[in-house]
Amino acid sequence: MFTIYPAIDLKGGRCVRLTQGRADAATIYRDNPAEVAGEFAAAGAAWIHVVDLDGAFSGSPQNAAAVAAIAKVAPRMQLGGGMRTREAVAAALAAGVSRVVIGTKAWEDEAFLREVAQTHGDKIAVGIDARDGFVTIKGWVEKTATRAVELAQKAEALGVRTIIYTDIATDGMLTGPNFAALTELLGAVRCQVIASGGVSKLEDITKLAALAKQHAHLDGVIVGKAIYEGRVNVAEALAAVR
């Protein structure tokens, strides 16, 4: 079944959204992230995608209290942002997180990625954030010379079972997903892929669900700003792809 992952981005304990990952382009939507998570769960969401933006920029988790509160009401949640040590990964899982997303560290440290993938299995995902096809790290502020497809193939070879692919150029822009880049990635790996970035309307989601019929390992899509701007209703979206 195609999964819709409503997103909660945390900054200073509040629910915000950034535009193209820029910290100076934050819009505060709600003061109580756990309340938002509860609304997503009530609408029928099976998963909630959470990003600790402060953690992504600083390199270590910064919103532990908000994460713990969300975990109490979320059916299942995946968490990224600042997950760069074994201790951070273990603490997140102990707090009730179902899947930890490794971003910057997946690019920096192959041995670390292999170890956490082998230790935690499908509780580990790699978040690949790309600009113009190249991996971007440290809260999207540093662009590397590594192609997103290359990192995805390496992660899969190391035992990672889920990749979250975010196209930075479309993220928060409400212009539609980058289908060409996503299709290229789907052709390069066989592990589970979650799309992220650019969803602006229900039709974007149903188009991705149709793509998943051609590529069974396209697991779902993360939807953020479109929900907060009232362009996508979670319950309606879930019904549309069911």
Side-chain angles (χ1 to χ4, degrees), residues 91-174:
L93 294 172
V97 173
S98 302
R99 185 188 292 147
V100 172
V101 184
I102 312 295
T104 295
K105 196 72 171 179
W107 176 83
E108 290 180 336
D109 193 337
E110 186 176 307
F112 170 82
L113 184 58
R114 180 189 291 110
E115 181 183 330
V116 294
Q118 290 178 351
T119 301
H120 301 293
D122 60 7
K123 293 180 180 179
I124 298 295
V126 164
I128 299 179
D129 304 325
R131 192 189 301 276
D132 303 320
F134 290 90
V135 176
T136 305
I137 60 171
K138 297 181 180 177
W140 300 1
V141 297
E142 289 186 27
K143 185 176 176 181
T144 73
T146 304
R147 282 185 47 77
V149 167
E150 294 171 18
L151 180 56
Q153 291 173 326
K154 179 183 287 187
E156 182 176 41
L158 292 173
V160 172
R161 302 179 196 176
T162 301
I163 288 169
I164 298 170
Y165 179 71
T166 302
D167 181 73
I168 295 173
T170 60
D171 189 78
M173 298 302 289
L174 300 172

Side-chain angles (χ1 to χ4, degrees), residues 46-103:
W47 280 88
I48 294 172
H49 177 77
V50 180
V51 179
D52 179 348
L53 292 171
D54 299 304
F57 291 121
S58 70
S60 62
Q62 300 294 317
N63 284 280
V67 167
I70 293 168
K72 290 179 181 177
V73 297
R76 283 173 289 180
M77 68 179 285
Q78 58 187 19
L79 172 70
M83 295 291 140
R84 301 179 198 172
T85 66
R86 296 162 185 81
E87 293 76 17
V89 171
L93 294 172
V97 173
S98 302
R99 185 188 292 147
V100 172
V101 184
I102 312 295

Side-chain angles (χ1 to χ4, degrees), residues 8 10 13-15 29-39 66 69-70:
I8 294 175
L10 299 172
R14 297 187 289 188
C15 179
Y29 283 105
R30 300 278 289 274
D31 288 326
N32 188 335
E35 186 176 77
V36 177
E39 291 168 8
I70 293 168

Side-chain angles (χ1 to χ4, degrees), residues 1-3 179 182-183 186 193 205-221 241:
M1 184 167 137
F2 190 74
T3 305
F179 285 96
L182 176 61
T183 301
L186 287 167
V193 174
I205 297 171
T206 55
K207 190 175 178 182
L208 285 164
L211 184 63
K213 292 180 179 178
Q214 303 169 37
H215 301 274
H217 56 304
L218 176 55
D219 168 73
V221 61
V241 301

